[in-house]
Structure formats: structure tokens, C-alpha cells
Amino acid sequence: MKKQITFSTFLTFSLLASFLFFSCDTLRKTPGNTATSKSSRRTLISKKPSAKPPVRRPAPTTRPSYSNPRNTSDIPQVVQVARTYTGTPYRSGGNDKNGIDCSGLICSVYSEVGMKVPRISWQQSEFGQEVGQLKDIKAGDWLFFVPEAGKEGYVSHAGIVTDVRSSQEIIFIHASTSRGVREDNLFSNYFKGRFVKAMRPFQGI
């Protein structure tokens, strides 16, 4: 009787011990699995691409509104106003009688007579109507020059025709880098080889 009780007790104890062993093993594994799951979740979140900021549309560009070409009756006034700048020192980007550059002279003179024109020389070289031949150049026309004689290049200088005295004497006013605002002859040795085109910002003949 004692052996059965002992065997029965031993069997019960063994079952209970086995149960506790497997239960503890399960409990030991559970936190590890949970930690791995959380770690994986963190990794996935960190690799998730961040949202890109919304692309800003560029501000709409508006074309400057210039005055329509006016009548040639304004040309004497243009010449008169331009000559008031004579002697003004050259200053790159300048727009007044304290200092002015070549395209600034054109812009300021025409502004004073109530006409809005482009400020940059290459834009001025495309404004109005091109004068096809030298013999057709008149007072009030704009002359444009490149840096080197006899070579193509960008427009680097500009002036306003003030007087046409003969076929070889076309006088224009401009802002010289060395001598300020002055008048010169288009057919001088320095300018005739650099001249590229003439534009007429006024309507009429």
C-alpha cells in the first residue's frame, strides 16, 4: 500500500514538475518573442520613407509692359533730354545723373519723355523695328555694338542717335566707360567695326 502511494505520489509530482517546466519555458520565450516583434516594428518604421514636402509652384512670371512706339514728333525732345546727361560719369547699373551706364541712359531718357522701354541692352536691341540699312538711320534710333571689332558677340554697348549730318557722320550719345556720357561719330575707327544693328523705337519716318 505504501509503494502504491509512493508511486502515485511520485507520478503526480513528475506530472506537476513537467507541467511547471514547460510552463516556465514558455514564459521564458514569450518576452523574447515580444521584444523581437517590437524591434522589427521599430526597424520598419525607421525605414519608412518620410513624406516629401509639397512642391512649390514657381511664382508666375509676367512680361513687362512697355509703351507702344510713339510718333517721331517726340524725337527732338528725346535728343534734348539725352544731351542734359552730357558729362554724367559712368556707373554700371546707374540710372541718374550721379552715374549711369549705356542702357540706363536710354531707359532714363525715354522715361523722361513718358515712354517705358527695356532697361537691359540686349532687350533694347530687340525693341521696336530694326533699321535695315545705314543710310536709313535717323535721329532717335538706337545703335548697338559688340565688344570686339569684326566679330560676332553679345550686345555690350548702346547709344541714341542725336544727329545725322552726312552719310559718314552719324552722331550718337552714349555712356562711355572712360569718359562718361558724350557724343561720338558712328564712323569713328573705334565704333564702326563694332556696330551690329540699329533699332527704331518710334513709329513713322
Side-chain angles (χ1 to χ4, degrees):
M1 186 72 179
K2 284 182 180 179
K3 289 183 180 179
Q4 288 182 348
I5 294 172
T6 303
F7 179 77
S8 176
T9 304
F10 175 76
L11 183 62
T12 302
F13 176 78
S14 297
L15 290 173
L16 182 61
S18 299
F19 175 76
L20 289 174
F21 175 79
F22 287 114
S23 296
C24 290
D25 189 55
T26 303
L27 291 171
R28 278 199 305 271
K29 290 180 180 178
T30 303
N33 291 339
T34 304
T36 303
S37 176
K38 287 182 179 179
S39 175
S40 300
R41 187 175 300 171
R42 282 196 297 270
T43 303
L44 289 173
I45 291 171
S46 64
K47 289 184 178 179
K48 184 179 179 181
S50 57
K52 293 182 179 180
V55 178
R56 293 184 180 180
R57 292 183 179 180
T61 55
T62 55
R63 185 185 179 91
S65 58
Y66 301 117
S67 302
N68 292 325
R70 305 194 321 184
N71 195 284
T72 53
S73 61
D74 293 311
I75 290 175
Q77 185 185 4
V78 168
V79 173
Q80 182 181 358
V81 171
R83 283 175 170 160
T84 66
Y85 284 83
T86 300
T88 299
Y90 179 89
R91 180 166 63 87
S92 179
N95 291 300
D96 54 38
K97 291 177 180 176
N98 294 318
I100 203 163
D101 61 18
C102 61
S103 57
L105 177 65
I106 291 176
C107 187
S108 297
V109 167
Y110 281 82
S111 178
E112 286 192 37
V113 299
M115 183 175 174
K116 186 179 170 110
V117 301
R119 171 63 178 82
I120 303 171
S121 56
W122 72 263
Q123 293 176 331
Q124 293 170 350
S125 71
E126 298 176 354
F127 182 79
Q129 181 180 1
E130 186 171 356
V131 180
Q133 299 183 50
L134 286 172
K135 66 182 181 63
D136 295 327
I137 291 177
K138 299 183 181 296
D141 291 344
W142 300 346
L143 306 181
F144 297 94
F145 305 87
V146 292
E148 295 185 60
K151 295 183 179 180
E152 294 183 357
Y154 64 92
V155 170
S156 61
H157 195 59
I160 304 169
V161 177
T162 53
D163 194 10
V164 179
R165 298 173 184 172
S166 70
S167 60
Q168 294 295 309
E169 198 172 9
I170 298 176
I171 308 302
F172 70 101
I173 192 167
H174 63 111
S176 164
T177 55
S178 58
R179 299 182 181 181
V181 177
R182 52 176 284 146
E183 290 182 75
D184 282 297
N185 182 8
L186 172 61
F187 289 93
S188 66
N189 290 333
Y190 182 83
F191 288 108
K192 67 181 179 181
R194 291 172 170 80
F195 170 74
V196 287
K197 69 189 298 188
M199 296 296 290
R200 181 165 297 155
F202 287 91
Q203 290 178 338
I205 298 174

